[in-house]
Structure formats: structure tokens, C-alpha cells
Amino acid sequence: RDFNERCAQCSEVNWGLTDGGRFYCRSCHNVTERTREVVNTDFISNTRVQTISKVLRKQEKTDGGCEWYVCEGFQLVLKKQAEALEALGVCPQMKDEILCNFWRCYLQKSKQAYCNRPAGETVKALSVCDSSTDADSEPETPSLLHMLSASESEGDLQTDCSFASSTSKVSESTSLCSGSVDGSLYLMKNQKEKLRMTMPMTLSFCYMALLWLREPMTLSDLLRFVVEGHIPYLNVFQHFPEKMKLCGLDLKIFCVESWPAYEEVYNKMLELAAFLDLPRFPDITDSCFLHPDMLCIKYLMEANLPDELHNWTCRVVKKICIGEADFLTLVPGNKSTRKVKYDVLAAAVIVVVLKLLFLLDDHYEWLLSEFAEERNKNNKEGGPYFEFKKWYKVIKCSLDVEQKKLDEERAKYLWRCEKPLFYSAKKKSKVLKRRRMVVNLQNQFGKLSGSVQPAEKPNPSSFQLSWYEENTDGSCFHGHSLKGILQEKCGLLTAMNPDYWLCTVKLCTEKLCGHLAHYREVDFPQSYHFVLRLFSFLLRIEPSYIHDEVCVIEHKLFNKKLCKKPKYKTSLRK
């Protein structure tokens, strides 16, 4: 009541106290460096002295370990990931403003901070911890909330004091279960309605912040940077401070032994946006990198396809109205609008254009290649005609090499981290000793076998495959012409081929299926499968997801003919 200064962030005078005695604004949750002055020394100071002495005794027993909560661990993970993204060139605004506010909102919505904790939580914690009491367990020490702030000046969490004090009483009986105060409770209680935090959800937070800022980084790029080691995710707990003792059930929460899945991260991002009640995201316009017209340029360059194909992709995007801001912009919680995967959508548009021009039925594209080859032999002026057969051979050779390299890297990946892990304090010495023996044996056998040291991780790049027109071997097809497969009709260039085959006549409506169309390689031409495989490698997703998007685009493109002539099953006239 005696602190009447206005908040520097929102100019309100509505202060509360954190566990550490600092003032925070109840309106915008800004935390100041100002601490509460002690007035009644007879009452407050004695209690404070007892608390400090208790902390010191605990620190001596735990070798400097402190009490910490699971949400603090995830906050540190998000901070490391945001810093890595900033190092990759993302706007600095993402970490301190966008991601930090998203995280605060999540903590408040899930009732983990910035709120009065429900009374039932303390009872649950006590009951869980009492059932797992062990005489050899070690006590914990106060919270590390001030150490894990997303920004130095305004990132502290505000947890309920009564809950913190009650859990500190029973922390001695929980240390065997987990290093964190609420690790066992976090895994046991049902938090479906609260959207319980997981490691894949940290990437969902990052992608949501990137999408809000309309950064030129797709979800597939984000996950690829994670796999390449540019963004902390696997074994990220190695970066935890020494005072945060990680053991037992904490490993189930923070230890990851699988690559992040595109669908899981994307779906969790949608759930998060709806859970946080976020407003409509900033519009995705034709000048944004995430617009299909822009992404198609990137993927055409990476797939080594002719530049002239971009005119056709733009025509398809305009024809089916998938370039409109209302279609592309995310509106959280709106179930009537279809959620867009920008990278998959752009790849599917290119596949549809290739089917329009080359048919991809394992017959027509090879006839066009023979025709283009003959024209190139006699054509001495202008750019060469595009040969699908030659492009196929060049891409297949590079794709096989890169896919083999990727498979080998994944097979050789060591999931065990450099920092030894132990599930209880009793086994710590054994684990450390075993780890030292393993490292010594690996070094000795490495010297005897003359094994090559692992190569350094590659520099981050938006392109996985690069093609240069300066190459004299003719492996770059960017400047090649499509004249051999086009004809002028009513003032517009159209494909010489009037036919088109649909991937499916009817989209699947079963929610449990998870796919709009079923995809099996044996049911489709090899040329079509090869194109899907190429973009599947570039996006690091299963070909079936690109196939789904292709089917949706086809049904929008041929909607009128599908309604008029449902008897056609495998082919349509354009």
C-alpha cells in the first residue's frame, strides 16, 4: 500500500508482492527491482531470519541444489530456443515481447503462475509426496524463479506463496521421485483441460511466435534446424544451471529420444493459440514470405525446376483463391476455417502444376522429353527446352546422395547426452563412474581403430539443394523453356495435353483416419511418387501429407466438373 509509483510499462498503480519480496504489477505483470521495506521488525524479520537459515541448511545438504518447478524448466528451454532463433536472424522482438507474453499468458491460463492457485492443488501435492516418502531422500531449496526469467528485467514468475511454502515442507520426500518440486505431481494429475506442457510444445510456442511476426521461416525449416542442432531441443537440459538437479521423473518430462514430428508440433500450435484466446494473427499478404506465390519461388529453385513454372503456380493460386489473406491468416478457435500449412500448400501447388503440364502418368512426360531432346539438338538459338527425363536423372542422383547422408546421420546419432543422468541420489556415484569408464573406452578404441572425428554441424541455410546456372555440365534447369509443351489458345498459353487424372474422386471424411486421401506408392505412377518424394525430403515430412494437399487443390480446381460429371472416376477433361 505504501508503494505508489506508477508502473513503467502500463502506468497503473496496482502492485503485488512476489515470493522474493519484489513488487510486480497486477495489470501487466511487470516485475520491478524494488523490494518491500520491512516495517514491523518484531514480526517479519524473525520469520525472515528463520527462512534464510533454513535455506542455508538445505543448500549445504544438497550441494547447492535449489527447489525448482517444471514450468521453470520449460521456461529455460524456451529462452534457449529463442536465443538460438535470434542468432539465426529472427527479429529480436520475438523473445522479449512476443514469446515472453505468450508464455506468461499460458502460465496464467493453466494456473501455474500470475494467479491464485486453486486450494485443491496443495492437497494433491501433499498426498502424492507422502505416498512416496523415503528415508534417504534429500531436501530441496527455494525456487529459482528469478534465475529463469525470459528477460532480465521483466520475466519473473509470480507463484502463490502458500503453495510454495507447503511444497517446501514435503520436498524432502519428493527428491527421490524427481529433482523438481512438482515433477511427480506434474505427470500424475490430469491436465488435459489445461494443455499440459511438453517438449514438442516448446517448438509449437516458437513457431506460433514466428507466425505472429510473419518471419521467413516455415515449420519445416524450424524442425530441420532442430535436427541439425542449430536450435536446442535434444538434450537441452544440459544447459540447466547446476542448482537445478535433474533426476528421476524429470527425465520423462525433459529427456527427448525422438525427432520432433511435423503434425504433432503443428496441431499443438493450433491448440495453444485457441487455449490462449489469441486474436486473429497478422494478415498473410502477397508480400509476405509465407504466401504461396513467394514460397513457390523458393521450392521451384530448390527443386531445380524452370522459372517459367512460377507463372503457372500463380495462376493456380489465383484460380482457387488460396492466396487471399482471409484464407491464409490464422484465426485461433475458428473451426469453420481450414488451417493452412504454408510449406505443404506451396509444394502441393507445384505438384499440381507438374501434373497439368506433364501429366506424370509414366508415359506422357517421357514423350515430351523425347520431343524436347530433338528440338534441343536442332535449336541453336535461345534457351534450351526443358527435358523432364534429364531433370529426373539429375535430381534422382542428388536426392539419393542426400537421403543416404541423412539416414546415416540419424542412424549414428548418439541419443545419450554428455551430461550423465541419474534417477536417484543413491545411484549418482555409480552412474558417474560408469560414464567415465565408457568415455575412456571410447577414446581408446577410437585411437586404435583410427576412427574419424565427427564432422562439425553445417552452417544453417534455407536451401538444402543448390543449383547454379554457371555450371557447365547442364545440371541447372532454372533458365530452361517450356515452349515445347505449351500452345497459345485465345491469347493464353495452355498445355498441349488436354487430359488430367485425379488422385482421388472423393475426399475422406473420417476424422479418425487423419488423412483426406489414402496414399500407397503402388497405386500411383512412379513419376508422381518421385515428385512427392522430392518435396517430402525438402520438407522432412511423409509423402502422404503432400498427397492430401494435392487432392484438396485438385478438388477446388475441378470442382465444377466433379459436380457435373460424377461418373468420371480416373480422368477429366480440362
Side-chain angles (χ1 to χ4, degrees), residues 362 518-526 528-529:
D362 289 344
H518 299 283
Y519 176 75
R520 291 195 311 166
E521 181 181 350
V522 294
D523 295 335
F524 295 91
Q526 286 300 309
Y528 175 73
H529 172 70

Side-chain angles (χ1 to χ4, degrees), residues 395-532:
I395 294 296
K396 188 176 186 305
C397 181
S398 299
L399 185 60
D400 290 342
V401 171
E402 294 297 326
Q403 186 67 56
K404 182 180 179 181
K405 186 187 302 183
L406 177 62
D407 294 339
E408 289 179 352
E409 289 176 357
R410 290 192 172 188
K412 294 178 180 179
Y413 186 82
L414 297 177
W415 292 100
R416 288 189 176 183
C417 62
E418 298 178 359
K419 184 178 180 180
L421 303 175
F422 51 92
Y423 287 86
S424 67
K426 294 180 180 180
K427 297 181 180 180
K428 179 178 179 180
S429 59
K430 294 182 180 180
V431 172
L432 293 175
K433 182 178 180 181
R434 187 180 303 168
R435 181 62 180 170
R436 286 194 297 268
M437 292 176 59
V438 170
V439 172
N440 291 334
L441 288 173
Q442 287 177 342
N443 293 336
Q444 293 177 15
F445 279 109
K447 292 178 180 179
L448 291 174
S449 60
S451 59
V452 181
Q453 294 293 329
E456 297 181 359
K457 59 184 179 182
N459 294 326
S461 174
S462 297
F463 292 90
Q464 301 176 70
L465 302 176
S466 300
W467 313 94
Y468 304 98
E469 297 185 15
E470 293 79 9
N471 294 348
T472 56
D473 56 357
S475 60
C476 181
F477 296 87
H478 291 160
H480 287 214
S481 174
L482 298 176
K483 291 182 180 179
I485 60 174
L486 300 178
Q487 61 181 357
E488 188 173 350
K489 186 177 181 181
C490 298
L492 292 175
L493 288 176
T494 61
M496 296 176 60
N497 167 53
D499 298 323
Y500 188 93
W501 58 272
L502 288 175
C503 294
T504 182
V505 177
K506 187 177 180 180
L507 298 176
C508 181
T509 57
E510 294 290 336
K511 293 182 179 181
L512 298 177
C513 175
H515 290 278
L516 295 173
H518 299 283
Y519 176 75
R520 291 195 311 166
E521 181 181 350
V522 294
D523 295 335
F524 295 91
Q526 286 300 309
S527 297
Y528 175 73
H529 172 70
F530 173 78
V531 174
L532 287 189

Side-chain angles (χ1 to χ4, degrees), residues 286-299:
D286 54 4
S287 61
C288 295
F289 177 82
L290 298 177
H291 193 276
D293 289 346
M294 300 289 284
L295 281 176
C296 282
I297 297 177
K298 174 180 184 290
Y299 293 133

Side-chain angles (χ1 to χ4, degrees), residues 9 40 57 89 94-95 100 189 192 226 235 267 352 363 412 476 517 537:
Q9 203 166 27
N40 191 344
R57 288 198 302 270
M94 174 199 167
K95 174 192 168 187
C100 183
K189 62 185 178 182
K192 290 184 178 180
V226 168
N235 301 328
N267 291 333
V352 170
H363 177 69
K412 294 178 180 179
C476 181
F537 171 79

Side-chain angles (χ1 to χ4, degrees), residues 134-135 137-140 167-176:
D134 186 90
S137 61
E138 297 180 0
E140 311 258 354
T167 51
S168 63
K169 295 178 182 178
V170 295
S171 60
E172 184 174 344
S173 60
T174 61
S175 60
L176 186 62

Side-chain angles (χ1 to χ4, degrees), residues 3 12 56 153 168 174 214 227 309 336 361 411 460 488 503 551 553 558:
F3 188 50
E12 293 288 334
L56 293 175
S153 60
S168 63
T174 61
R214 296 177 292 184
V227 174
L309 284 176
S336 61
D361 64 346
E488 188 173 350
C503 294
C551 294
I553 294 175
F558 300 105

